[in-house]
């Protein structure tokens, strides 16, 4: 990971060893942030493990803060999905005693 | 970035925009409104807030399991964006680790199957080895009890006195685990400081192939295969043999909506009932056609699409798919139960987000 600067309202983040999996998820949460004017990502080459994530904000937050917030959102969503999954599996096994333990 | 919980009485989207936001509309030749509306400000002019709201997500998000066996799980994942659903699918296929045979040391192979072909085949055999007990092996690292599981295959075909053949088929059940490591440490450079037996106290959990009946080779009398196979931990991104799933996929929830009243005894009503049996039925109270749940009627939905070539049907019936309702199927290779794979995939995605936040 190398960000160009920490106090920019527009920045391109080069994230190494990541691909669509993380970049597209972050793009979703960044676009959902009202302080982000633009967000998109690209992969310069399919055989290079690198994504470039472009973030431009409206000026209330820095690009760095916006990406951090998106990471936080994604972390919370995964946490909630894990607990929901645990409940759903427990409920299914309760209702279906024949299900594998 | 905290945001106040959405208030009651807040402006709502007009119905036609809500349908465009929430559904893909299936036409006869192509699907419409396939994009997801992500931007926080999309509906700002109408006073509708489209920004991220964790509370709203928690209120709407649901997982409903339809089927769960040792190998397959089908479930509905409702209230999530395709970006997240697809990230999970990608992680399941390519990034949840398993243990698979990586190095094969052939002592003797007089069968007709070539060494390299046999080695490749062995790599693809799913192994019942809990991946969390081992560390991934870095290329320059020496193989040890922490990163390698050693199997031996020693099979010779003989003709029995009664004329029948013994061991004419080499099956995956013949892969035998060596808890104390390689029997050829000089050749394989694999030396265990301690055995692995304590990791698997009960016989049933000992490392073996998931399926006992995978045909690896066929032998004729006198032919023999002797080899040692060293399994390591890896991920599907490196090689598909480490993928924990046969496949993992999702489709969107189909829904059929009536756009206008259609008399069940009219020409159109009769045509819909006969072309799409089970999907449409007469409502006894009103005498109009009623669309049942499209789930379970997937086979007739394509016939409905054919009818939608005619404009009068387009005006009466809509075939739509919900953009945030995924019917997810995970087919495990048998190495780990499918619900465990999904839990690990969620953990992996969370780790990615946390890892990036820390490096920023």
């Amino acid at each position: 990971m190398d960000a160009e600067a920490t106090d920019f309202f527009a920045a391109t983040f080069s994230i190494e060893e990541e691909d669509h999996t993380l970049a597209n998820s972050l793009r979703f949460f960044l676009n959902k942030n009202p302080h982000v004017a633009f967000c998109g990502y690209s992969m310069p080459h399919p055989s290079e493990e690198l994504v470039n994530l472009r973030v431009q904000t409206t000026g209330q937050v820095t690009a760095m803060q916006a990406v951090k917030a998106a990471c936080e959102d994604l972390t919370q969503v995964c946490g909630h999905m894990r607990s929901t999954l645990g409940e759903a599996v427990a409920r299914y096994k309760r209702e279906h005693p024949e299900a594998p333990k | 970035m905290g945001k106040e919980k959405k208030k009651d009485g807040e402006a709502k989207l007009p119905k036609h925009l809500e349908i465009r936001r929430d559904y893909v509309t299936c036409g006869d030749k192509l699907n419409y409104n396939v994009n997801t509306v992500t931007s926080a400000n999309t509906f700002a002019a109408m006073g509708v807030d489209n920004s991220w709201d964790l509370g709203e997500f928690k209120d709407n998000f649901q997982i409903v399991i339809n089927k769960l066996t040792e190998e397959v799980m089908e479930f509905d994942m409702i209230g999530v964006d395709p970006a997240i659903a697809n990230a999970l699918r990608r992680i399941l296929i390519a990034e949840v680790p398993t243990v698979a045979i990586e190095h094969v040391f052939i002592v003797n192979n007089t069968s007709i199957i070539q060494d390299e072909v046999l080695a490749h085949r062995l790599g693809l055999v799913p192994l019942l080895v809990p991946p969390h007990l081992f560390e991934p092996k870095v290329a320059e690292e020496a193989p040890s009890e922490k990163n390698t599981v050693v199997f031996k295959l020693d099979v010779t075909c003989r003709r029995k006195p009664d004329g029948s053949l013994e061991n004419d088929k080499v099956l995956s059940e013949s892969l035998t685990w060596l808890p104390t490591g390689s029997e050829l440490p000089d050749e394989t450079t694999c030396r265990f400081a301690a055995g692995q037996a304590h990791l698997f106290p009960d016989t049933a959990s000992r490392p073996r192939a998931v399926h006992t009946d995978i045909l690896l080779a066929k032998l004729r009398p006198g032919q023999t295969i002797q080899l040692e196979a060293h399994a390591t931990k890896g991920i599907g991104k490196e090689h598909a043999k480490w993928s924990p799933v046969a496949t993992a996929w999702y489709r969107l929830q189909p829904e059929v909506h009536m756009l206008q009243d259609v008399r069940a005894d009219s020409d159109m009503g009769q045509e819909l009932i006969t072309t799409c049996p089970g999907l449409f039925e007469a409502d006894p109270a009103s005498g109009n056609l009623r669309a049942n749940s499209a789930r379970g009627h997937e086979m007739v939905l394509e016939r409905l699409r054919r009818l939608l070539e005619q404009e009068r049907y387009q005006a009466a019936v809509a075939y739509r798919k919900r953009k945030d309702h995924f019917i997810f199927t995970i087919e495990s290779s048998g190495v780990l139960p499918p619900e465990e794979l999904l839990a690990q995939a969620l953990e992996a995605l969370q780790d990615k987000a946390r890892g990036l936040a820390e490096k920023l």
Side-chain angles (χ1 to χ4, degrees):
Chain A
M1 230 307 301
D2 47 87
E4 287 154 11
T6 52
D7 54 350
F8 278 43
F9 297 125
T12 303
F13 297 82
S14 291
I15 311 171
E16 283 171 16
E17 286 172 26
E18 289 296 349
D19 56 12
H20 299 283
T21 307
L22 181 65
N24 195 30
S25 306
L26 289 180
R27 188 192 60 112
F28 168 73
F29 287 106
L30 283 159
N31 274 320
K32 277 279 190 188
N33 183 341
H35 302 306
V36 172
F38 172 83
C39 171
Y41 77 92
S42 69
M43 290 176 75
H45 195 278
S47 55
E48 233 182 320
E49 286 200 63
L50 178 76
V51 284
N52 288 332
L53 183 72
R54 177 70 181 171
V55 182
Q56 292 171 205
T57 71
T58 53
Q60 285 99 325
V61 296
T62 65
M64 183 71 89
Q65 286 168 330
V67 176
K68 276 187 179 161
C71 288
E72 178 60 23
D73 287 341
L74 180 55
T75 309
Q76 288 172 341
V77 164
C78 288
H80 180 68
M81 288 174 80
R82 276 178 72 184
S83 54
T84 312
L85 172 70
E87 289 161 20
V89 171
R91 189 181 327 119
Y92 184 90
K93 289 189 174 172
R94 218 168 34 240
E95 289 166 8
H96 299 78
E98 77 284 1
K101 285 286 162 304
Chain B
M1 244 138 292
K3 198 181 73 171
E4 277 181 48
K5 190 94 172 100
K6 281 176 189 164
K7 298 167 206 82
D8 290 333
E10 192 190 354
K12 277 187 81 178
L13 272 191
K15 191 80 189 153
H16 71 284
L17 284 182
E18 209 174 79
I19 289 172
R20 287 180 65 156
R21 183 192 60 186
D22 295 343
Y23 290 98
V24 172
T25 300
C26 301
D28 59 319
K29 290 187 185 65
L30 63 141
N31 296 338
Y32 303 94
N33 312 324
V34 293
N35 59 314
T36 49
V37 183
T38 311
S39 175
N41 307 315
T42 312
F43 306 116
M46 280 176 286
V48 175
D49 188 359
N50 196 42
S51 61
W52 179 246
D53 184 337
L54 185 67
E56 194 187 326
F57 169 77
K58 285 185 175 173
D59 289 345
N60 294 333
F61 182 71
Q62 275 185 65
I63 290 179
V64 181
I65 299 175
N66 307 320
K67 182 182 163 188
L68 178 62
T69 68
E70 274 164 16
E71 291 190 328
V72 184
M73 172 160 76
E74 192 203 83
F75 59 99
D76 286 32
M77 197 161 77
I78 307 160
V80 72
D81 190 80
I84 308 299
N86 194 41
L88 291 175
R89 185 193 62 83
R90 288 173 62 91
I91 293 175
L92 281 166
I93 293 172
E95 296 188 46
V96 175
T98 67
V99 174
I101 291 170
E102 169 71 345
H103 296 288
V104 177
F105 300 91
I106 292 178
V107 178
N108 191 13
N109 174 17
T110 54
S111 76
I112 57 161
I113 184 165
Q114 297 92 330
D115 293 0
E116 63 274 27
V117 180
L118 182 61
H120 176 247
R121 251 175 200 227
L122 286 165
L124 297 173
V125 173
L127 299 178
L128 204 61
V129 181
H132 68 269
L133 295 177
F134 298 93
E135 289 164 13
K137 182 174 160 310
V138 192
E140 55 274 15
E141 220 175 355
S144 73
E145 71 280 3
K146 290 188 178 70
N147 56 29
T148 306
V149 183
V150 183
F151 292 91
K152 179 175 147 173
L153 186 72
D154 186 353
V155 182
T156 305
C157 178
R158 285 187 199 86
R159 194 177 292 280
K160 289 195 276 198
D162 65 356
S164 65
L165 295 178
E166 179 190 60
N167 291 336
D168 58 326
K169 286 178 179 154
V170 183
L171 302 176
S172 50
E173 67 184 351
S174 306
L175 281 169
T176 38
W177 173 52
L178 300 178
T180 50
S182 178
E183 291 175 344
L184 327 151
D186 293 336
E187 285 85 353
T188 63
T189 71
C190 174
R191 285 183 175 85
F192 281 14
Q196 291 171 337
H198 66 282
L199 295 172
F200 307 96
D202 54 328
T203 335
S205 70
R206 280 184 193 158
R208 58 180 167 87
V210 173
H211 307 277
T212 52
D213 55 351
I214 302 174
L215 184 64
L216 298 172
K218 283 190 173 186
L219 301 180
R220 294 299 294 161
Q223 292 183 345
T224 184
I225 295 178
Q226 280 177 290
L227 58 82
E228 219 175 78
H230 292 208
T232 58
K233 183 169 166 178
I235 57 172
K237 210 195 286 191
E238 169 96 27
H239 191 290
K241 69 186 174 187
W242 280 300
S243 182
V245 292
T247 188
W249 80 93
Y250 56 76
R251 60 199 174 91
L252 296 178
Q253 158 93 335
E255 287 182 16
V256 174
H257 299 148
M258 301 302 296
L259 300 178
Q260 45 181 246
D261 288 344
V262 177
R263 301 287 308 163
D265 51 10
S266 66
D267 285 352
M268 190 192 272
Q270 285 302 309
E271 178 70 45
L272 284 169
I273 289 174
T274 46
T275 312
C276 309
L279 183 57
F280 295 100
E281 66 180 12
D283 182 4
S286 63
N288 286 329
L289 215 56
R290 185 171 64 188
N292 287 325
S293 160
R295 284 286 284 277
H297 294 108
E298 277 83 356
M299 302 308 277
V300 302
L301 287 172
E302 288 309 303
R303 287 196 222 146
L304 178 63
R305 245 190 227 261
R306 292 279 72 75
L307 286 181
L308 289 172
E309 287 168 10
Q310 303 168 44
E311 265 178 40
R312 59 196 191 101
Y313 284 97
Q314 281 174 29
V317 186
Y319 170 21
R320 297 176 181 143
K321 289 178 176 174
R322 260 206 92 86
K323 286 179 198 175
D324 68 345
H325 185 145
F326 299 90
I327 305 165
F328 219 117
T329 311
I330 302 173
E331 275 182 22
S332 166
S333 66
V335 177
L336 288 168
E339 72 273 21
E340 171 65 23
L341 291 177
L342 184 62
Q344 286 194 18
L346 282 164
E347 199 172 337
L349 187 57
Q350 201 172 30
D351 287 349
K352 278 176 187 287
R354 281 213 188 105
L356 179 61
E358 276 166 24
K359 283 179 200 154
L360 281 172

